[in-house]
Amino acid sequence: MAKQNGLGWTTLSVADASAVARDIRNDITNLQFATPRGVQDVTGIDKSAYERILLLADFSITLNIVADFATNLVHDVFKTVPSTSVARATVIGVGGKSLTNNVLYTDYPLQRSNSGELTAAVPGVLADGAVPTWS
């Protein structure tokens, strides 16, 4: 497969606090994730341009969700974020490729807008020092 749009994600699962993977694609309206690397400036005084080296790899994600209180969907996955300290396997798959990371989700901030929507933007960060790698 060559070029790929953002439609029809093949995988988006997040483990609940019991480490059971849950397919929550239906309740995600949009998401952002990043796999940045740290950079160290190692420019010597003999240079006229920056010289840098790469440092640690990282991963962060924000899942924008529509509240769904049905069994084993987004609310059941994230309701324990404030009360547990567990890493949750998160699998993002598109175009036959997947990115799997253990993620610490740091907030479950439900918000109700003045027009009635009940949503949340759930942030997460890399948990275990494993370098994010696409398969």
Side-chain angles (χ1 to χ4, degrees), residues 14-32:
V14 176
D16 61 20
S18 300
V20 176
R22 305 292 183 192
D23 180 354
I24 58 172
R25 287 176 293 172
N26 188 56
D27 297 325
I28 306 298
T29 59
N30 62 305
L31 63 107
Q32 305 81 252

Side-chain angles (χ1 to χ4, degrees), residues 29-46:
T29 59
N30 62 305
L31 63 107
Q32 305 81 252
F33 61 94
T35 55
R37 296 282 304 266
V39 178
Q40 180 180 351
D41 179 354
V42 295
T43 309
I45 60 172
D46 61 332

Side-chain angles (χ1 to χ4, degrees), residues 27-71:
D27 297 325
I28 306 298
T29 59
N30 62 305
L31 63 107
Q32 305 81 252
F33 61 94
T35 55
R37 296 282 304 266
V39 178
Q40 180 180 351
D41 179 354
V42 295
T43 309
I45 60 172
D46 61 332
K47 299 290 188 294
S48 297
Y50 284 106
E51 183 179 10
R52 298 180 175 102
I53 58 175
L54 290 173
L55 301 174
L56 295 173
D58 202 357
F59 174 82
S60 63
I61 190 167
T62 300
L63 299 172
N64 295 290
I65 68 169
V66 174
D68 189 338
F69 294 91
T71 302

Side-chain angles (χ1 to χ4, degrees), residues 82-103:
S83 60
T84 61
S85 298
V86 297
R88 298 160 193 262
T90 300
V91 181
I92 302 166
V94 65
K97 308 296 181 190
S98 62
L99 181 63
T100 302
N101 290 291
N102 287 319
V103 175

